Every structure is written in structure tokens, then in C-alpha cells.
Amino acid sequence: MSTKLMVENEEANDDNNKLQVHNFQIRPTHNQKFKTHIAKEVIQETLLKYLKDREYNQIQAEVLSKTIASEIKDRLKDQCVDSRYKLMVQVVLGERHGAGTKVGARCIWDADTDTQASDQFLNETIFCMAVVFAVYFY
């Protein structure tokens, strides 16, 4: 199956009575697909930047998790995302003291175009997991 499907032969006349043919790309080309390896690098770099030398602080955790999520999203939009991809970034930040944490997500998506990238950070007092969901907008 080709990743580039085109809807062609929709004809319209513009204001100057010139015939125009409209093309609409349904799926991204190989070069336009979301690059998960770049996203994983961005997540790793951002988590290290903000969490490397920190200790867990409950008061700062909410602001810090929002800051990390915003920076990941902004950097990905600048680096590797076609404008038709919609990004959702989830950051889970908590205190590490021996208990386990499980995080799950569900979504209906197109396995050919939509994807995700994730990474985690651990130190003596902090655990943090960041996930980026990239969904192609038709």
C-alpha cells in the first residue's frame, strides 16, 4: 500500500476564470513521518536538563512537569514534525521511595501514520516518565 494517496481532478475556477486542479495528500510521505528517534533524543535531553541535579520537591513538581512537557512539545514542533501532526505530551513526575507506578494510555489511531516516543529518568529521589503521542490529522 502506498503511503501517498492523492485525491485529484477536483476542478475549480478561480476569480480570473483559470482552471485549478486541487490535490490533497491523505497520508504523509516517508520523509514527512514523525521521527521517533529524534523525539526520544529530545525527551532524554530535556529530562536531563531539568532533573539531573534536583531533589524531589512536591511544591515544584506540578510546575516542573508542565515546563518539561511544554519544552518537549516546542522543541519537537521546531525539529521534526510536519504541521499536520498533532502532538500530545504527557509527563509523570513523582517522588521515588520504593513504591511502583504503572501508567497506561489508550487511543484509537492509524498504525501507519500515528506513533509515540517515550523515555524515563530516575535519580535518588525522582522518577519521571515522558511520552509524546504524534497523531496525523487527516
Side-chain angles (χ1 to χ4, degrees):
M1 181 175 168
S2 174
T3 60
K4 186 175 183 181
L5 301 174
M6 304 292 274
V7 175
E8 295 185 17
N9 298 329
E10 285 187 32
E11 297 179 358
N13 291 324
D14 64 5
D15 293 336
N16 297 326
N17 280 334
K18 291 182 182 176
L19 187 63
Q20 295 180 339
V21 176
H22 297 285
N23 293 326
F24 184 78
Q25 183 175 333
I26 303 240
R27 298 199 180 275
T29 63
H30 180 70
N31 291 335
Q32 293 172 324
K33 285 192 173 185
F34 184 78
K35 295 161 183 60
T36 56
H37 64 282
I38 294 174
K40 189 166 177 93
E41 289 174 12
V42 167
I43 294 168
Q44 285 175 344
E45 291 169 5
T46 306
L47 292 179
L48 279 175
K49 174 183 171 182
Y50 283 97
L51 302 174
K52 186 170 92 173
D53 297 322
R54 283 194 183 253
E55 288 192 14
Y56 182 78
N57 182 329
Q58 182 178 0
I59 297 169
Q60 296 175 350
E62 180 181 354
V63 173
L64 187 58
S65 62
K66 288 179 181 179
T67 302
I68 291 170
S70 294
E71 180 159 328
I72 290 170
K73 185 176 79 171
D74 293 342
R75 286 185 59 193
L76 287 175
K77 280 186 173 185
D78 291 340
Q79 287 186 13
C80 68
V81 176
D82 181 277
S83 63
R84 290 179 60 187
Y85 271 100
K86 303 305 175 201
L87 298 180
M88 292 154 280
V89 181
Q90 178 184 21
V91 175
V92 178
L93 177 69
E95 185 174 15
R96 187 174 178 197
H97 54 73
T101 301
K102 294 188 182 205
V103 177
R106 289 186 174 195
C107 182
I108 297 175
W109 68 12
D110 183 344
D112 291 335
T113 59
D114 305 337
T115 189
Q116 60 88 26
S118 65
D119 201 17
Q120 63 183 1
F121 174 87
L122 297 170
N123 71 11
E124 295 297 319
T125 62
I126 295 174
F127 74 88
C128 185
M129 184 211 56
V131 182
V132 175
F133 298 98
V135 178
Y136 194 75
F137 188 68
Y138 293 99

